[in-house]
Amino acid sequence: QVQLQQWGAGLLKPSETLSLTCAVYGGSFSNYFYSWIRQPPGKGLEWIGEISHSGSANYNPSLKSRVTISVDTSKKHFSLKVTSVTAADTAVYYCARENDDVSDWGQGTLVTVSS
Amino acid sequence: QSMLTQPPSASGTPGQRVSISCSGDNSNIGDNYVYWYQKLPGTAPKLLIYKNNQRPSGVPDRFSGSKSGTSASLAISGLRSEDEADYYCAAWDDNLSGQVFGGGTKLTVL
């Protein structure tokens, strides 16, 4: 059974960089897209971006200038960096592995941006 | 602002059939597959429908999806109390070169 385990700092100050990593345990790492999605408090889901196992990435245009998603196939990890965070970046961040009928998610990480 | 439009709320009584709509345009729903997720508080989203109307293994056949033109819908038959959750539609958007979600629909089982 595939499990995704994510970790990273949960409390940031404005202008700092958000950094989260997601590890994939079990199953194949190839032929999937690896995504980051977030949910601000009381709001809906927002797609941040995705990366293929080969490293080809797509980003939400509204976040593209501040976001980098990377993948390390040797470790079966993928990561998210968001620079210059503000209070608007406060959200639960999820990592996910998807391909058609496969949709495996991490446990979610609450990231709070506050001075 | 969501690119896909869902009603903010829906409701039904146990055993009823409810339907949740998702409206987009030719750059997303009109040209790409629609996916539906169930989100319970404090848990990660769960995929209910992929490629418009396909159910992943383990999803009950009470859940069904359909698509017509630039709109899609999720139907839940034989409504149960455990179906009370938020439901999101999603699709790739060709103009944005990214995935877009609907704003979510909160389903209440009365």
Side-chain angles (χ1 to χ4, degrees):
Chain A
Q1 184 171 346
V2 176
Q3 287 192 342
L4 273 66
Q5 180 101 26
Q6 58 183 99
W7 65 89
L11 180 61
L12 296 172
K13 290 182 168 51
S15 79
E16 291 185 333
T17 296
L18 180 158
S19 182
L20 298 173
T21 298
C22 185
V24 180
Y25 297 105
S28 169
F29 198 74
S30 300
N31 301 317
Y32 290 93
F33 278 91
Y34 295 93
S35 306
W36 290 95
I37 296 98
R38 69 182 183 180
Q39 184 175 33
K43 296 187 178 180
L45 300 174
E46 181 180 31
W47 183 79
I48 300 170
E50 66 179 15
I51 192 166
S52 68
H53 73 280
S54 60
S56 176
N58 292 296
Y59 300 111
N60 185 325
S62 68
L63 299 169
K64 188 173 183 176
S65 63
R66 299 191 294 125
V67 170
T68 302
I69 297 176
S70 58
V71 64
D72 185 335
T73 55
S74 64
K75 293 183 178 179
K76 291 191 175 182
H77 288 182
F78 60 107
S79 300
L80 170 72
K81 288 191 187 302
V82 182
T83 61
S84 305
V85 297
T86 69
D89 295 308
T90 293
V92 176
Y93 286 74
Y94 293 98
C95 62
R97 180 187 86 141
E98 297 186 289
N99 186 6
D100 288 342
D101 64 329
V102 173
S103 182
D104 301 305
W105 292 67
Q107 77 275 22
T109 300
L110 174 61
V111 176
T112 302
V113 180
S114 174
S115 56
Chain B
Q1 185 175 351
S2 301
M3 300 293 292
L4 305 181
T5 301
Q6 297 180 236
S9 63
S11 63
T13 57
Q16 262 191 336
R17 181 180 188 274
V18 297
S19 185
I20 297 171
S21 62
C22 176
S23 178
D25 60 36
N26 287 320
S27 66
N28 40 64
I29 293 179
D31 201 38
N32 295 289
Y33 291 121
V34 177
Y35 297 76
W36 288 92
Y37 296 86
Q38 179 191 60
K39 175 89 173 55
L40 295 165
T43 67
K46 173 187 175 183
L47 181 66
L48 289 179
I49 298 291
Y50 69 100
K51 288 187 174 179
N52 303 334
N53 56 17
Q54 302 298 302
R55 278 187 310 276
S57 173
V59 173
D61 60 6
R62 301 187 297 107
F63 295 90
S64 62
S66 64
K67 171 183 149 177
S68 178
T70 59
S71 294
S73 64
L74 172 72
I76 309 172
S77 60
L79 200 61
R80 297 182 177 184
S81 58
E82 58 259 39
D83 297 332
E84 190 162 284
D86 294 327
Y87 292 84
Y88 293 88
C89 58
W92 187 261
D93 189 283
D94 295 330
N95 289 343
L96 299 178
S97 292
Q99 182 170 312
V100 289
F101 282 99
T105 298
K106 183 176 184 60
L107 175 64
T108 301
V109 181
L110 301 169

